[in-house]
Amino acid sequence: MAASLYLRTPKLTPSFHTLFRPLSISTTKSLNLPSTSTVDFFPPPLTHHHLHRFYATRAQSTEKGKFDFDLFTIGAGSGGVRASRFAANMGASVAVCELPFATISSDTSGGVGGTCVLRGCVPKKLLVYASKYAHEFEESCGFGWNYVTQPKHDWSKLMANKNAELQRLTGIYKNILSNAGVKLIEGRGKVVDPHMVDVDGKTYTTKNILISVGGRPFIPEIPGNEYAIDSDAALDLPTQPKKIAIVGGGYIAVEFAGIFNGLKSEVHVFIRQKQVLRGFDEEIRDFVGEQMALRGIKFHTEESPQSIVKLPDGSLSLRTNKGTVDGFSHIMFATGRRPNTKNLGLEGVGVDMFKNGAIKVDEYSRSSVPSIWAVGDVTDRINLTPVALMEGAAVAKTVFANEPTKPDYRAVPSAVFSQPPTGQVGLTEEEAVKEYGDVDIYTSNFRPLKATLSGLPDRVFMKLIVCAKTNKVIGLHMCGDDSPEIVQGFAIALKAGLTKADFDSIVGIHPTSAEEFVTMRTPARKIRSSNSEGMTGEVKAAARV
Ligand SMILES: Cc1cc2nc3c(=O)[nH]c(=O)nc-3n(C[C@H](O)[C@H](O)[C@H](O)COP(=O)(O)OP(=O)(O)OC[C@H]3O[C@@H](n4cnc5c(N)ncnc54)[C@H](O)[C@@H]3O)c2cc1C
């Protein structure tokens, strides 16, 4: 396997086949881009070089007069907005089409900003904030706080405030596009030929097409699935669930389990496997599951749903391979997402796709049709907002700045906003053993300072994975308060290729949980393939040797 693959993120969606293609590091010099943000407030400054290109590209388009646009983007989510705005700032004439706004997506509804802003990261995190207070109220009692009456939560107020914020954000995204000179066309886009897009019956010619239509939740075909909700609906329920079943063990499932549990719904999670978060480090999987169970979430492991029945009293029963659980007010499926490539005209023009509908692209995000590019979830590489932003920026640079740029997938950090949350970057122990054979594992499992007075059973788990040969830290994982914030910083160290000795040379910040990452002195275990007496590194790791 290529060395450039040695730092990759754990799986966040069920299918990551494309990530395992050989990837190489972009060696092109970097453009002056703003730091990654879910909201694109600051366009990159136009340098002399860009101004030159601005005139060159405009002149070219006008000269030829061949196309209405240099770039036509279908889908104004994270990747589409980033690519369109950057392309326009580089001098291209750009149009983007997007479906009309709605909180719940469909074939005919979406909204400028896309999944992250309207039905993903942002509303999800707002609900995580809302739900975390319950735990904090509990913690506060040990610190001397008491409440004359129990704090009460107002679900309708939360939904109203959240929806007002979504309206504000979609407005900001529209402004970003218009300030960059991108023409926004409302409607459903469809590819007619390699240089033509149809939006609700009106056609536009274009030199390049960018497909950034993302994906939508998928509910399996089982009897009664019409009573199930998906993550779009779960973020915008008119009333709070009293008792909810969440089917699925991926990051979206565990995040929603935390949200509803914090808000005091009764939460049951049904997973096909023994643990949540397939593809993540095994110890993290165990730890998250244990901590969530301690907070009151009921896990039904190795249980697959078979049907849903609605009873005359309106309650829902979920039948699985192991029996039936009754009395649910809601049943949510978080069982994966499918790329939005149905009826997009792609087959007709010869764009190659995977079985699940994801568009096949090369390392520059170019499809099998040279004028058609694709970024973000529709390509099913790493389905995260900052990755879609990186891919969108790379396409703009490749096509309009004449600087061929490959997205750099090494050491992409990620988080799960479960309660407690996780953060991770680099390899899992299982991947590290497979790839390097000899690795040293450092772990720390401790009661954080806050828990001493709160009296709650909260713990923190941290793990470093070190390549025995080079001493480089190749994996870093954490579950506990603030881990997404902490891991974002440490991701720089991993990507920079720092060694365990570098980590050890850092003075800790005391008292924090994060200081543990620079004070772990003794390995919990050393895994060696050489003296394994016939055991492969993988088997030894599984056996926790
Ligand atoms: C519940 C949930 C939580 C998430 N949490 C996180 C998180 O915490 N961190 C993180 O990094 N990522 C998170 N993600 C993933 C993140 O939202 C996606 O990776 C990201 O939005 C992908 O961006 P995109 O540009 O590929 O597509 P999208 O943002 O999905 O945008 C695609 C756009 O295309 C539009 N569209 C579709 N078809 C057409 C058409 N034919 N014509 C016109 N427009 C069309 C859609 O309406 C949509 O607006 C989460 C996702 C979900 C569902």
Side-chain angles (χ1 to χ4, degrees), residues 74-80 97-99 109-111 113-116 119-121 124 187-189 212-215 231 235 251-252 255-256 337 340 344 375-378 383-386 388 417:
I74 305 182
S78 309
C97 70
E98 174 57 61
L99 298 163
S109 60
T115 304
C116 169
R119 288 170 292 275
C121 331
K124 178 266 311 274
R188 189 173 190 284
S212 48
V213 291
S231 61
L235 286 167
Y251 84 98
I252 293 177
E255 289 179 341
F256 277 86
R337 293 172 64 81
N340 281 330
L344 207 60
V375 295
D377 286 8
V378 75
N383 297 338
L384 290 173
T385 289
F417 295 96

Side-chain angles (χ1 to χ4, degrees), residues 112-133:
V112 175
T115 304
C116 169
V117 176
L118 306 174
R119 288 170 292 275
C121 331
V122 173
K124 178 266 311 274
K125 188 93 186 271
L126 293 175
L127 265 56
V128 168
Y129 283 129
S131 62
K132 269 173 65 173
Y133 283 104

